[in-house]
Amino acid sequence: MTLSLFMIVKNEEDVICRALENARAFADEIIIVDTGSSDGTRDKAQALADRVYSFDWTDDFSAARNYAVSKTTCDYWMWLDADDVVPPESARGIARLMRSVDPAVDVVMLPYVLERDPSGKPVFSYYRERIVKNRPDYFWRGRVHEAVVLHGKIKRAQYEIVHAKPRGRESGTRNLEIYKKMLKEGAALDPREKYYFARELFRNGEVRAAADTFADFLSEQNGFYVNKIDACIMLSRCYRRLGEDSRAYSPLFESFRYGLPTGEACCEIGLLLLAESDYSRAAYWFGLATKSKPDLESGAFVNADYYGFLPHVWLTVCYDRLGKLGAAYRHHCRARKLRPDHPSVIANQAYFESLGY
């Protein structure tokens, strides 16, 4: 099966070559849609791509992506953002996949890695629709945080795509401003849009508005269950940041309505109890986090540190405060094995050495 790769870009001259470095290993054609660059992006695109198009930016990511899809000619299409990286092993894997893929497969989901630990192990990741059959009923929806509505036969593969934003580049308020513009124009946000609008509000420091929007999303009858779980956790974090810790418990326990306790939810409960110096109960929840299993194929945002490293660090604190130094040291050793160079581990190591461990 053949594969078209497309990107929509604007002022990406510093990263576009990196994004496409391994693309020829798996892509039969490369299409770049420029949405108004004023730097050297277009010149670099001409050297890298089979075809380069211009598209007038309208504050609508789906419109730009759907325009790019309309220019593809292969059996399947694949998308990349300009600050994504396809590691060589992933490029080779995607090439093998396309040579052998069952034609009945409609969508291939690949891990999207947003953060790695110093050893290179993925810490924050989730699965995204990455390779899609080229047919009219697969298209992008949503002006921002856009996605393809999935149906048909879906396959998951392990070839990672890495989101590698250059150091010093800020995310800015662009996404938030698009949502606010939509509301000003009288648009009614659907549940998914409310969820991502709330996340943008939180990320940009508008915490009270974020809390209200997360609560509004949770009141909806519809909505992806993993988004509901994350919204509960984020609402609790809003209350903590607002100094309303007594309200922060309820959303975390509400998250259990939508699925098994996640490591993130368990750790947030533990942190609330730790702040109250309730070390015994905090240890219970941190311990439960270490036993939780992330659902990596659900599409949820997964922070692996909440299932191992962080709860072991906090268990070290809890058992130290409870005077159970042997248990504290055991959890420190587990944390040290996972992240030996982390500042908390280094500080705790010095502490235990001072005690003769």
Side-chain angles (χ1 to χ4, degrees):
M1 292 291 171
T2 56
L3 179 64
S4 303
L5 175 67
F6 76 80
M7 296 169 57
I8 59 171
V9 299
K10 182 178 180 180
N11 294 335
E12 302 287 2
E13 66 174 357
D14 56 336
V15 293
I16 190 170
C17 294
R18 184 190 68 174
L20 295 173
E21 182 178 11
N22 300 311
R24 288 295 177 186
F26 59 86
D28 296 284
E29 68 174 1
I30 299 174
I31 293 168
I32 295 178
V33 172
D34 184 78
T35 62
S37 294
S38 57
D39 63 359
T41 296
R42 191 174 181 89
D43 290 337
K44 290 190 175 182
Q46 295 283 2
L48 294 165
D50 296 293
R51 296 189 300 283
V52 179
Y53 299 93
S54 295
F55 183 81
D56 291 333
W57 180 244
T58 59
D59 286 336
D60 189 331
F61 282 92
S62 283
R65 292 199 194 274
N66 285 328
Y67 176 79
V69 169
S70 75
K71 302 300 182 183
T72 62
T73 64
C74 293
D75 300 312
Y76 291 81
W77 52 259
M78 174 178 170
W79 64 277
L80 285 178
D81 284 337
D83 46 8
D84 289 341
V85 172
V86 184
E89 59 273 21
S90 292
R92 293 191 293 269
I94 293 168
R96 290 194 301 271
L97 172 70
M98 296 313 300
R99 288 195 296 267
S100 60
V101 67
D102 182 349
V105 170
D106 297 296
V107 180
V108 180
M109 309 284 289
L110 298 181
Y112 201 15
V113 178
L114 279 71
E115 183 180 346
R116 293 183 184 274
D117 67 20
S119 70
K121 182 180 178 181
V123 173
F124 187 44
S125 65
Y126 64 105
Y127 269 84
R128 277 217 68 172
E129 72 284 15
R130 184 64 65 171
I131 299 171
V132 180
K133 186 168 284 185
N134 199 351
R135 65 190 209 193
D137 55 333
Y138 285 109
F139 57 91
W140 295 87
R141 297 180 183 178
R143 288 174 61 176
V144 62
H145 288 293
E146 66 283 6
V148 180
V149 178
L150 304 182
H151 57 92
K153 184 173 182 178
I154 298 173
K155 176 181 176 63
R156 287 177 171 81
Q158 300 299 316
Y159 311 123
E160 296 176 351
I161 307 298
V162 180
H163 189 66
K165 186 175 294 185
R167 185 169 305 203
R169 179 184 286 196
E170 298 295 330
S171 297
T173 62
R174 178 191 59 190
N175 292 347
L176 179 60
E177 294 307 318
I178 292 174
Y179 280 125
K180 289 183 175 180
K181 181 181 178 182
M182 291 170 64
L183 292 171
K184 188 175 181 179
E185 292 171 348
L189 301 186
D190 65 25
R192 185 178 185 277
E193 289 170 329
K194 286 182 182 179
Y195 166 70
Y196 279 102
F197 179 39
R199 287 183 62 91
E200 290 292 339
L201 287 165
F202 183 84
R203 188 177 64 81
N204 286 280
E206 299 186 33
V207 182
R208 178 60 69 186
D212 292 341
T213 308
F214 279 125
D216 188 21
F217 166 68
L218 288 167
S219 71
E220 294 271 4
Q221 292 298 312
N222 298 319
F224 190 26
Y225 78 96
V226 298
N227 291 351
K228 293 275 191 176
I229 293 171
D230 184 67
C232 290
I233 295 166
M234 293 300 298
L235 179 56
S236 177
R237 289 171 178 166
C238 287
Y239 290 145
R240 284 181 60 199
R241 189 169 294 188
L242 292 166
E244 301 172 7
D245 287 12
S246 62
R247 302 182 68 186
Y249 284 98
S250 181
L252 296 170
F253 287 105
E254 184 181 352
S255 74
F256 301 162
R257 292 176 52 202
Y258 305 106
L260 294 173
T262 65
E264 291 89 346
C266 292
C267 284
E268 292 294 329
I269 296 171
L271 287 170
L272 288 166
L273 293 164
L274 185 62
E276 297 174 7
S277 301
D278 192 341
Y279 303 119
S280 182
R281 286 202 295 165
Y284 170 84
W285 287 100
F286 292 135
L288 188 58
T290 67
K291 297 179 176 65
S292 299
K293 301 296 182 185
D295 188 352
L296 298 175
E297 297 187 356
S298 67
F301 298 124
V302 175
N303 190 326
D305 276 349
Y306 281 87
Y307 295 82
F309 171 68
L310 288 175
H312 283 304
V313 169
W314 291 320
L315 281 163
T316 301
V317 174
C318 289
Y319 285 120
D320 177 71
R321 297 293 189 274
L322 290 167
K324 299 180 179 180
L325 293 180
Y329 184 68
R330 286 194 296 274
H331 286 288
H332 163 67
C333 291
R334 291 171 184 169
R336 184 180 62 192
K337 183 176 181 180
L338 292 167
R339 300 283 292 275
D341 297 325
H342 193 276
S344 295
V345 170
I346 293 171
N348 287 341
Q349 180 67 22
Y351 170 70
F352 283 110
E353 287 178 1
S354 74
L355 298 177
Y357 281 83

